[in-house]
Amino acid sequence: MGNSLSCCLSPNASPKLGRRRGSAEPDCESEVYKAAAGNAVAVAPAAATVEPAELDFAGGEGHHLQHISDREMPEDLALEPNPSDHPRASTIFLSKSQTAVRQKRKSNHLNHVSPGQLTKKYNSCSTIFLDDSIVRQPNLRTTLKRMTLAIYYHIKNRAADRSLDIFDERLHPLTREKIPEEYFEHDPEHEFIYRFVYTLFSAALLTADCAVVTLVYLERLLTYAEIDICPTNWKRIVLGAILLASRLWDDDAVRDVEYSQILKDVTVEDMNEMERHVLELLHFNINVPFSVYAKYYFDLRSLAHDNNLNVLFTPLTKQRARNYEAISRLCDDEYKDVCRAAMRRSFSADHFIGIRRSNAILS
């Protein structure tokens, strides 16, 4: 929060993760704490140690409540930049995909596999080739293909099978049909993940930028909660991220009651409970700066390029350039409105958590 003082300067006031690998006392002499103390108390000498309990809050002209998106990151996460929070940190899905891409290229080289006919078009001084997806207005199908490919690599290259009961499909199935145990022993294919996500987006009339934000929330959830996305939980984790992203970033937010009509075997209470858990595991950090959004968008484009996802490129005409310029100006205003709306919603937990009493829903 800049130079404004807040009680979250105390390392003990930071929200704790539900699951910890080990307990460690915060080191008040660390570089992170020194930077925070230096920002808050400008008159303190460089060699002096500032105790949080000794900070004087009476010296300011007034107190300002800290916004929920500005609260201090958990101590375990503050030491290493989180890609879903920091625009310069590399996205997790892109790093997970690089191993598979390198192995594929190495295999093709050793087996003398020809790349086939080169169909990619390159820009020149007189011609610029673009697809129909831009950062301000991505194409829905293309973005969903890329986003689900990122989820596929998360599942395929996971480190372990850490999970939570609320996301376990064996405990909370999304269908009444009996699912064979073999289903949870194999990683889902990219096309299967795409069909599941595309069905939700098309039925709920969600936009492509909501898909990018869904991926941001998903990686943030995996990092904060220290869990892995695997065959037993991927559907419920993706559904929870979509619920939250659509509620906060879509102009016409779909209510949980309407989602229960899309997923007919899932109760509203189950979706409310799952959404509440997602928010708690995220420590209510639902802020997505545009710099982070843009990083995820362009990393998804890089992912598509590395995996040869087919995209139609056409020359940029003057009319298309004018249209893109108009879209950019319009989306600038819309994004500011969405951010203001999301900030207003964050002051009321009941509003964006979406918890409803059963009798209120039925009535």
Side-chain angles (χ1 to χ4, degrees), residues 83 85-88 288-298 335:
D85 295 314
H86 301 275
R88 295 187 178 181
V288 180
F290 186 75
S291 55
V292 172
Y293 171 90
K295 176 189 67 175
Y296 272 77
Y297 170 82
F298 286 109
Y335 182 79

Side-chain angles (χ1 to χ4, degrees), residues 40 43-44 74 76 93 150-151 162 218 231 241 244 254 263 307 323 338:
V43 297
D76 293 350
F93 71 83
I151 296 174
R162 301 170 298 174
L218 186 145
L244 188 59
V254 180
L263 302 169
N307 288 269
N323 293 341
V338 169

Side-chain angles (χ1 to χ4, degrees), residues 175-331:
T175 177
R176 294 178 184 176
E177 299 178 2
K178 183 174 178 57
I179 303 176
E181 192 63 29
E182 293 79 12
Y183 170 84
F184 301 109
E185 297 176 358
H186 303 283
D187 296 341
E189 295 296 331
H190 173 218
E191 187 62 29
F192 185 71
I193 302 173
Y194 170 76
R195 288 200 303 267
F196 174 77
V197 174
Y198 179 77
T199 300
L200 291 176
F201 269 74
S202 59
L205 301 177
L206 300 178
T207 57
D209 53 347
C210 186
V212 179
V213 176
T214 296
L215 186 59
V216 175
Y217 286 155
L218 186 145
E219 290 205 341
R220 188 176 293 176
L221 174 64
L222 297 180
T223 306
Y224 282 26
E226 296 183 346
I227 60 177
D228 302 286
I229 186 168
C230 55
T232 60
N233 64 12
W234 73 268
K235 280 188 177 180
R236 292 182 63 85
I237 287 180
V238 171
L239 177 59
I242 292 176
L243 287 173
L244 188 59
S246 64
R247 185 182 297 279
L248 292 169
W249 293 91
D250 200 272
D251 293 336
D252 301 317
V254 180
R255 295 179 299 173
D256 292 346
V257 179
E258 296 168 328
Y259 275 110
S260 66
Q261 296 173 356
I262 301 171
L263 302 169
K264 298 185 181 300
D265 295 334
V266 183
T267 64
V268 178
E269 293 78 10
D270 183 21
M271 281 190 283
N272 283 336
E273 183 72 8
M274 181 168 55
E275 191 176 2
R276 182 179 66 83
H277 273 80
V278 170
L279 276 166
E280 290 178 351
L281 292 170
L282 291 178
H283 302 287
F284 299 94
N285 179 16
I286 46 87
N287 183 42
V288 180
F290 186 75
S291 55
V292 172
Y293 171 90
K295 176 189 67 175
Y296 272 77
Y297 170 82
F298 286 109
D299 279 2
L300 284 174
R301 292 183 68 98
S302 299
L303 179 71
H305 177 268
D306 293 341
N307 288 269
N308 299 320
L309 287 184
N310 295 326
V311 178
L312 179 62
F313 288 89
T314 56
L316 178 65
T317 62
K318 290 183 179 180
Q319 185 59 42
R320 285 183 66 193
R322 294 191 189 99
N323 293 341
Y324 287 154
E325 186 178 3
I327 290 172
S328 180
R329 288 197 299 266
L330 177 63
C331 291

Side-chain angles (χ1 to χ4, degrees), residues 101-116:
V101 171
R102 285 194 296 267
Q103 289 176 350
K104 184 177 180 180
R105 290 174 178 171
K106 182 179 180 180
S107 175
N108 291 342
H109 177 72
L110 294 177
N111 298 325
H112 304 285
V113 177
S114 173

